[in-house]
């Protein structure tokens, strides 16, 4: 069969799990045979097995009995074999025996070396391909199973850590005429082998690292001089961005090797970056497509096509860590970079992006791509410490704009780059290859940034020779991620409420109570004050009051409102934190019995009589803020809040002169803050200023605790914040600590209900128009805030559309959410806009003379 050219087909885990998928594998193999090609099929382990093998290793390495973990692995393969009508014992008996021996051995010595891990993990691919080959043979396919370790030998890797040598081995991309001759001579039309595994020159099993099956397939293609490499997976190719996150992403029909390499390296998951070089070295075209078709939707990767420079994709990569190295004058020393990079090499870490200045070198590490746990970072910093002052910054994420010749079109990117105005950029890198422009930002902002950039760059694009159909047009979209919120259990009640009139803010008391409990659980915080600007609905305030919290007010009206509900409160439960307030407002604050906070020296300078012989708090500007948008960062040069460091001497002088007792220092640096050390950093700063103010006993650390907007974001780690503040307290027993959150308490407890007025299609886009607009909820328009939007009338219906959800206000910015996956939606349906409890109704207006949403507190549920 030597005359038939080889085609390498790679099937990932989901493509080889279950009988229906193998039937599809067979169809594809038959189709390629009919094309006159000879398939070399490379398969991954069945879905979930790599994790199960990891669990087996963990159990054995801990000295636990591995029987249960082994039984689980065996059971999954038995299910697969039974579904295909294959005898598991005949196909895999020897492999399962080996696995048992390995696991029991490791359990006895309670240890799993990288060498042993490689052998255990290789079992997944060996098992799946043995079962698959047996089934294909029974179907009459002329197939021969081959052990990949007999075909692929890794390069010598002396000197590298064992993890890298065994778990992330490299192979050369050269052709292998001897292998080709051997395979050509086989008396079977189809060869079936494993991805991910190889052997080293000593004959031991090694793995090719994460995404190793793609790499294996490309290496085989290079070795046998294949006519084509096909990567068959669960998406029909590479897209302008991750289509699961942004369903209007467009299929990229054609990419140059260099662009695909850049896209894969920048984070596009569908193809592993190591898989491109071997194909490129031999000019082998790569097709990336979905196992289930459609047959005409795929990405072809090959020699670049001529054409003007153009951004082809917006790619996000999570799990990026930055290492910042202050070189303390060593920059001029020859060899600093070489020495520093040698340390990274010794730790088996490859450096990705690099930015340099006179005194600092900052590099990014892709922790996931290095397949090494983040714990690696500590010893790395220790070793770098011999050369420089090294610091780790994370978690950060990288967003890259990818396309050839990107420098030539920088001017066209202007409007898109405006998006970065609202986010802190830690590092910018423009690839020497001129293929990408990358920005490293705080990880929690990554998804929103990608949404916004993609909408700017591709929002109005149409299909052409480069851009194919949108993901949602391909009918591929999986269900939109829906956070399991309280509204699911209360769907009926909420629909009844909506029937009484929309728009309507509904509040769930149980969620409110849970949020309060979480804050009261902070051992380091002596007093929690609720920032009522977030939402001053009386029922909410009553519940907050009943749990013993205080109130943070920013206007005399807010003070009066609280006093109207609860009468006089002790000063530690009523805080007045105005800014740029008039003199009489401070007087009203004192009259109300509140603790009054000054956020500038102006009042002391101009109206000292108001403060003479009184106790006050002073709000300081900590100099550096955080937050989900620049409008909510309340510290630093750009912000109007707080006493800056440069005014401290005058402050000390004024308070001494007018016998003002500063009993508390305050700092609120922003809203939606994910940075876990933000609060302890503020405490440390306030404590250092308090050294000069002997009356200070309270440090108020402000609010700002972030709330996850999206299903894939974790809740903020309160325990970590608490631990850092407990450590602070141990060193500074003089102070009591206060906090004054708003969003954390009420955001997740509120939802905005809106009724669909109209549905409209325009120029390929779909709009769902509801009766709540930016006059009810301004956060999306003002901050680009992302709120989950669900069709409450059809919670269980599958998503069918991608639409912009818009309001009735006469402003282009009146959009509650772009590009949302929704079920078919009709006039009269009730839409639910989630996490709208904070800064929703309180920021609402009567713009266009439209009344904003009414409010209702739901009864406590009986759950
Ligand atoms: N404290 C002060 C002084 C504020 O200005 C704010 C918000 O603007 C807060 C607390 C509450 O912030 P968050 O709702 O993000 O917790």
């Amino acid at each position: 069969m030597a005359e038939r050219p080889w085609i390498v087909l790679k099937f990932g885990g989901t493509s080889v799990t279950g009988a229906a998928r193998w039937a599809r594998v067979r169809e594809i193999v038959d189709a390629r045979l009919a094309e006159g090609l000879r398939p070399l099929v490379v398969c991954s382990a069945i879905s979930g097995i790599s994790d199960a093998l990891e669990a087996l290793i963990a159990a054995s390495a801990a000295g636990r009995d591995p029987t249960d973990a082994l039984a689980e692995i065996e059971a999954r393969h038995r299910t697969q074999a039974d579904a295909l009508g294959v005898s598991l014992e005949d196909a895999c008996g020897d492999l399962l025996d080996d696995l048992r021996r390995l696991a029991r051995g490791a359990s006895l010595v309670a240890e799993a070396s990288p060498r042993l891990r490689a052998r255990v993990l290789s079992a997944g691919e060996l098992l799946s391909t043995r079962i698959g080959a047996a089934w294909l043979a029974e179907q009459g396919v002329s197939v021969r199973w081959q052990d990949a370790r007999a075909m692929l030998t890794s390069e010598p890797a002396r000197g590298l850590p064992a993890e890298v040598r065994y778990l992330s081995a490299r192979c050369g991309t050269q052709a292998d005429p001897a292998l080709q001759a051997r395979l050509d001579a086989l008396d079977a039309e189809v060869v079936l082998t494993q991805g991910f595994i190889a052997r080293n020159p000593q004959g031991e099993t090694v793995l090719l690292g994460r995404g190793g099956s793609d790499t294996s397939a490309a290496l085989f293609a290079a070795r046998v001089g294949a006519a084509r490499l096909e990567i068959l997976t669960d998406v029909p190719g590479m897209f302008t961005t991750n289509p699961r996150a942004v369903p209007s992403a467009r299929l990229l029909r054609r990419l140059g090797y260099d662009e695909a390499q850049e896209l894969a390296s920048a984070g596009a998951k569908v193809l592993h970056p190591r898989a491109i070089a071997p194909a490129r070295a031999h000019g082998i075209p790569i097709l990336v497509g979905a196992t289930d078709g459609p047959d005409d939707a795929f990405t072809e990767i090959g020699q670049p096509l001529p054409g003007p420079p153009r951004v082809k994709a917006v790619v996000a990569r999570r799990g990026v860590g930055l290492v910042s190295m202050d070189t303390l004058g060593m920059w001029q020393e020859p060899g600093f970079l070489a020495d520093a990079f040698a340390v990274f090499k010794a730790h088996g870490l490859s450096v990705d992006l690099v930015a340099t200045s006179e005194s600092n070198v900052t590099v990014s590490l892709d922790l996931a791509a290095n397949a090494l746990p983040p714990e690696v970072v500590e010893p790395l910093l220790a070793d770098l410490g011999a050369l420089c002052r090294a610091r780790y910054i994370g978690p950060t994420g990288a967003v890259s704009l990818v396309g050839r010749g990107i420098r030539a079109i920088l001017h066209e990117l202007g409007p898109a780059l405006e998006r970065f105005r609202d986010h802190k950029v830690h590092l910018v890198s423009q690839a020497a290859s001129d293929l990408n422009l990358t920005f490293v930002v705080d990880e929690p902002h990554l998804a929103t940034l990608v949404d916004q950039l993609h909408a700017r760059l591709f929002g109005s694009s149409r299909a052409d020779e480069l851009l194919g159909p949108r993901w949602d047009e391909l009918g591929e979209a999986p269900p939109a991620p829906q956070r399991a919120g309280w509204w699911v259990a209360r769907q009926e009640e909420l629909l009844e409420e909506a029937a009484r009139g929309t728009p309507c803010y509904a509040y769930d008391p149980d969620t409110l109570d849970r949020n309060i409990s979480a804050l009261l659980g902070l051992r380091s915080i002596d007093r929690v004050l609720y920032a009522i600007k977030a939402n001053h609905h009386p029922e909410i305030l009553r519940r907050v009051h009943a749990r013993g919290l205080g109130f943070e007010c920013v206007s005399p009206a807010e003070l009066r409102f609280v006093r109207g509900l609860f009468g006089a409160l002790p000063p530690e439960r009523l805080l007045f934190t105005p800014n740029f307030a008039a003199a009489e407002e401070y007087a009203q604050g004192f009259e109300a019995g509140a603790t009054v906070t000054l956020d500038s020296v102006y009042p002391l300078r101009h109206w000292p009589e108001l403060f003479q012989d009184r106790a006050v708090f002073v709000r300081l500007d900590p100099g550096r803020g955080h937050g989900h948008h620049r409008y909510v960062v309340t510290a630093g040069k750009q912000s109007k809040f707080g006493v800056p460091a440069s005014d401290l001497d005058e402050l000390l002088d004024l308070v001494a002169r007018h016998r003002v007792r500063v009993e508390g220092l305050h700092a609120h640096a922003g809203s939606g803050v994910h940075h876990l050390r933000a609060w302890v950093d503020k405490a440390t700063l306030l404590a250092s200023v308090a050294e000069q103010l002997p009356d200070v006993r309270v440090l108020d650390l402000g609010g700002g605790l972030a709330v996850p907007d999206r299903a894939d974001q974790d809740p903020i780690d309160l325990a970590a914040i608490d631990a850092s503040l407990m450590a602070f307290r141990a060193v500074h027993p003089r102070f009591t600590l206060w906090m004054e959150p708003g969003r954390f308490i009420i955001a997740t407890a509120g939802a905005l209900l809106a009724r669909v007025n109209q549905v409209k299609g325009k120029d390929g886009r779909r709009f769902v128009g509801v009766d709540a607009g930016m006059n009810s909820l301004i956060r999306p328009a003002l901050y680009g805030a992302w709120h989950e939007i669900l069709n409450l009338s059809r919670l269980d219906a599958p998503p069918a559309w991608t639409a912009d959800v818009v309001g009735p206000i006469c402003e282009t910015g009146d959009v509650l959410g772009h590009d949302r996956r929704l079920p078919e939606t009709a006039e009269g349906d009730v839409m639910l806009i989630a996490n709208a409890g904070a800064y929703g109704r309180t920021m609402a207006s009567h713009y266009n003379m439209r009344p904003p949403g009414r409010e209702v507190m739901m009864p406590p549920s009986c759950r």
Side-chain angles (χ1 to χ4, degrees):
M1 287 176 218
E3 68 285 0
R4 288 219 216 157
W6 287 97
I7 177 168
V8 176
L9 303 172
K10 181 256 160 175
F11 294 95
T14 49
S15 305
V16 295
T17 306
R21 315 309 299 236
W22 273 98
R24 179 67 188 146
V25 170
R26 184 181 172 189
E27 267 173 37
I28 294 172
V29 164
D30 283 349
R32 302 308 176 262
L33 284 168
E35 259 185 75
L37 298 165
R38 207 172 158 202
L40 169 54
V41 180
V42 179
C43 297
S44 300
I46 62 178
S47 292
I49 285 302
S50 299
D51 288 344
L53 289 166
E54 288 285 5
L56 173 67
I57 292 168
S60 302
R64 290 200 300 274
D65 181 357
T67 308
D68 288 350
L70 280 164
E72 150 111 26
I73 291 162
E74 187 174 328
R76 293 221 200 173
H77 287 97
R78 190 169 302 283
T79 307
Q80 168 92 341
D82 288 352
L84 290 164
V86 167
S87 154
L88 184 65
E89 275 66 34
D90 290 353
C92 303
D94 56 333
L95 294 174
L96 290 167
D97 284 346
D98 273 356
L99 192 60
R100 279 183 211 112
R101 255 196 311 277
L102 285 173
R104 299 232 151 85
S107 165
L108 276 180
V109 292
E111 196 184 309
S113 64
R115 184 158 157 264
L116 183 113
R117 291 187 59 195
R119 288 183 65 192
V120 172
L121 289 171
S122 70
E125 274 68 15
L126 292 167
L127 288 163
S128 81
T129 51
R130 282 274 192 86
I131 298 170
W135 179 76
L136 284 173
E138 272 172 31
Q139 298 299 300
V141 176
S142 161
V143 62
R144 182 67 75 83
W145 182 90
Q146 292 283 292
D147 188 330
R149 294 169 295 185
M151 304 198 286
L152 209 53
T153 305
S154 66
E155 300 202 307
R158 262 190 303 278
L160 291 180
E163 274 85 1
V164 178
R165 279 186 283 132
Y166 287 100
L167 305 177
S168 209
R170 304 265 174 164
C171 300
T173 60
Q174 67 281 6
D176 185 346
L179 174 68
Q180 189 174 352
R182 214 172 79 215
L183 295 182
D184 281 348
L186 287 177
D187 58 350
E189 288 183 311
V190 180
V191 169
L192 182 67
T193 190
Q194 310 80 44
F196 189 49
I197 68 177
R199 73 168 177 214
N200 64 15
Q202 295 76 47
E204 298 166 306
T205 301
V206 296
L207 307 179
L208 302 185
R210 242 173 243 227
S213 290
D214 288 353
T215 314
S216 296
L219 290 166
F220 287 127
R223 276 164 205 231
V224 301
R228 195 160 83 216
L229 164 63
E230 290 188 20
I231 305 284
L232 292 145
T233 171
D234 48 3
V235 286
M238 299 181 95
F239 282 77
T240 48
T241 194
N242 175 5
R244 296 215 160 92
V246 183
S248 61
R250 284 189 179 278
L251 179 71
L252 290 159
R253 291 188 194 281
R254 180 71 214 235
L255 286 171
Y257 289 117
D258 51 356
E259 291 170 318
Q261 175 80 51
E262 208 64 33
L263 249 149
S265 308
K269 290 268 171 2
V270 58
L271 180 63
H272 195 272
R274 281 196 207 165
I276 294 161
R280 182 182 190 173
H282 300 272
I284 301 168
I286 308 174
L287 258 52
V288 182
T291 310
D292 284 336
D295 290 341
D296 59 347
F298 53 81
T299 301
E300 182 175 356
I301 300 164
Q303 302 302 349
L305 288 178
R310 170 171 181 185
V311 175
K312 306 229 165 110
V314 180
V315 190
R317 189 155 33 105
R318 295 179 176 278
V320 174
L322 291 181
V323 178
S324 159
M325 294 172 278
D326 283 319
T327 53
L328 306 173
M330 295 172 82
W331 178 236
Q332 301 295 341
E333 297 227 337
F336 171 76
L337 276 184
D339 292 346
F341 284 5
V343 177
F344 287 97
K345 180 175 177 190
H347 286 262
L349 288 166
S350 70
V351 165
D352 186 10
L353 308 171
V354 184
T356 63
S357 76
E358 284 293 302
S359 57
N360 176 280
V361 181
T362 298
V363 301
S364 78
L365 300 174
D366 184 341
L367 298 179
N370 279 293
L372 292 172
E375 296 85 75
V376 165
V377 170
E378 288 305 323
L380 171 79
L381 294 185
D383 286 359
L384 285 171
L387 300 172
C388 57
R389 204 171 61 218
R391 199 159 51 90
Y392 178 73
I393 305 172
T396 56
V399 53
S400 302
L401 308 183
V402 179
R404 189 168 317 103
I406 207 153
R407 271 178 227 155
I409 50 164
L410 279 180
H411 58 287
E412 291 172 22
L413 300 179
L417 297 186
E418 269 177 20
R419 296 291 151 201
F420 290 100
R421 196 184 50 188
D422 305 330
H423 302 280
K424 182 172 174 54
V425 177
H426 293 286
L427 187 155
V428 183
S429 153
Q430 189 261 313
S433 61
D434 201 12
L435 279 162
N436 85 50
L437 195 56
T438 295
F439 304 83
V440 179
V441 297
D442 289 329
E443 195 175 278
H445 301 160
L446 205 57
T448 306
L449 200 53
V450 170
D451 269 359
Q452 294 173 340
L453 285 169
H454 188 268
R456 263 289 180 182
L457 290 164
F458 297 98
S460 51
S461 61
R462 294 171 172 281
D464 58 20
E465 74 290 347
L466 171 74
L467 298 181
R470 291 163 42 143
W471 162 263
D472 46 4
E473 291 165 351
L474 285 164
E476 286 282 335
Q482 291 196 353
R483 175 179 295 284
W486 54 267
W487 47 84
V488 176
R490 309 199 77 160
Q491 179 187 16
E492 285 310 316
E493 290 168 82
L494 288 168
L495 288 172
E496 281 166 25
E497 195 53 58
R500 286 180 210 118
T502 48
C504 170
Y505 278 101
Y507 305 123
D508 178 52
D510 304 319
T511 306
L512 170 62
D513 286 347
R514 265 198 306 279
N515 294 343
I516 295 174
S517 298
L519 291 172
L520 293 178
L522 292 172
R523 289 178 310 139
S524 58
I525 299 296
D526 302 283
R527 180 153 292 284
V528 178
L529 298 111
Y530 170 54
I532 81 162
K533 64 179 86 59
N535 191 326
H536 58 250
H537 188 277
E539 267 312 305
I540 294 171
L541 299 193
R542 278 196 198 99
R543 289 189 163 262
V544 166
H545 180 258
R547 302 290 302 272
L549 273 61
F551 299 95
E552 190 252 339
C553 301
V554 290
S555 68
E558 286 191 350
L559 286 174
R560 280 195 297 277
F561 195 72
V562 171
R563 279 182 56 103
L565 287 173
F566 310 114
L569 288 171
E572 66 275 16
R573 287 187 76 181
L574 191 62
L575 180 65
F576 185 43
T577 322
N579 77 94
F580 288 96
E584 62 268 23
E585 294 195 2
Y586 290 98
Q588 289 167 20
F590 287 120
E591 272 162 37
T595 299
V596 173
T597 306
L598 297 171
D599 89 332
S600 123
V601 292
Y602 188 100
L604 288 174
R605 207 191 281 150
H606 295 275
W607 318 311
E609 66 288 354
L610 281 179
F611 305 96
Q612 189 119 6
D613 294 318
R614 286 192 182 271
V616 295
F617 278 21
V618 174
R619 176 173 182 170
L620 300 180
D621 176 357
R624 180 162 180 265
H626 300 276
H628 63 80
H629 187 278
R630 74 192 164 103
Y631 290 173
V632 296
V633 173
T634 52
K637 284 200 189 76
Q638 308 297 327
S639 118
K640 63 173 181 160
F641 298 97
V643 175
S646 55
D647 283 355
L648 276 182
D649 286 344
E650 187 183 357
L651 175 80
L652 295 175
D653 179 48
L654 287 166
V655 297
R657 197 145 21 109
H658 301 296
R659 298 188 305 278
V660 181
R661 286 191 320 283
V662 179
E663 292 192 346
L665 290 177
H666 172 284
H668 169 80
S671 192
V673 179
H674 291 267
H675 179 56
L676 297 178
R677 294 197 59 83
W679 291 270
V680 74
D681 287 351
K682 279 188 282 186
T684 309
L685 178 99
L686 295 182
S688 72
V689 174
E691 281 172 18
Q692 302 176 68
L693 291 162
D695 295 326
V696 171
R697 54 185 175 82
V698 176
L699 304 182
D700 180 341
L701 307 180
L705 294 166
V707 170
D709 300 316
R710 297 167 179 266
D712 61 356
Q713 284 177 352
D714 291 328
I716 192 159
D717 187 350
L718 284 183
I721 296 172
D722 202 24
S724 66
L725 290 173
M726 286 304 284
F728 169 85
R729 291 187 70 128
V731 185
H732 300 278
R734 167 184 159 195
F735 305 114
T736 46
L737 300 185
W738 293 8
M739 228 186 220
E740 47 183 47
R743 269 194 96 208
F744 186 88
I745 291 179
I746 191 63
T748 51
L752 175 59
L753 306 175
R755 196 168 290 281
V756 175
N757 287 339
Q758 293 187 22
V759 174
K760 156 164 141 184
K762 191 180 132 185
D763 238 359
R765 289 191 82 80
R766 194 177 265 125
F767 297 91
V768 170
V770 298
D771 59 7
M774 62 195 287
N775 65 317
S776 282
L777 181 65
I778 201 171
R779 299 187 76 248
L782 185 63
Y783 307 136
W786 196 95
H787 288 262
E788 177 142 17
I789 303 179
L790 313 165
N791 186 329
L792 191 68
S793 306
R794 305 171 199 245
L795 263 191
D796 297 325
W801 291 358
T802 305
D804 289 356
V805 180
V806 300
I809 299 295
C810 294
E811 293 284 339
T812 305
D814 185 25
V815 179
L816 295 170
H818 283 285
D819 261 358
R820 297 313 174 87
R821 292 296 294 158
L822 299 173
E824 280 187 32
T825 296
E827 179 188 341
D829 284 358
V830 176
M831 308 299 286
L832 179 143
I833 297 112
N835 283 2
Y839 307 104
R841 184 60 175 80
T842 50
M843 288 177 88
S845 75
H846 279 76
Y847 185 40
N848 284 191
M849 294 183 80
R850 287 190 182 274
R854 66 190 180 91
E855 294 175 285
V856 60
M857 173 63 82
M858 310 285 288
S861 77
C862 317
R863 277 171 287 159

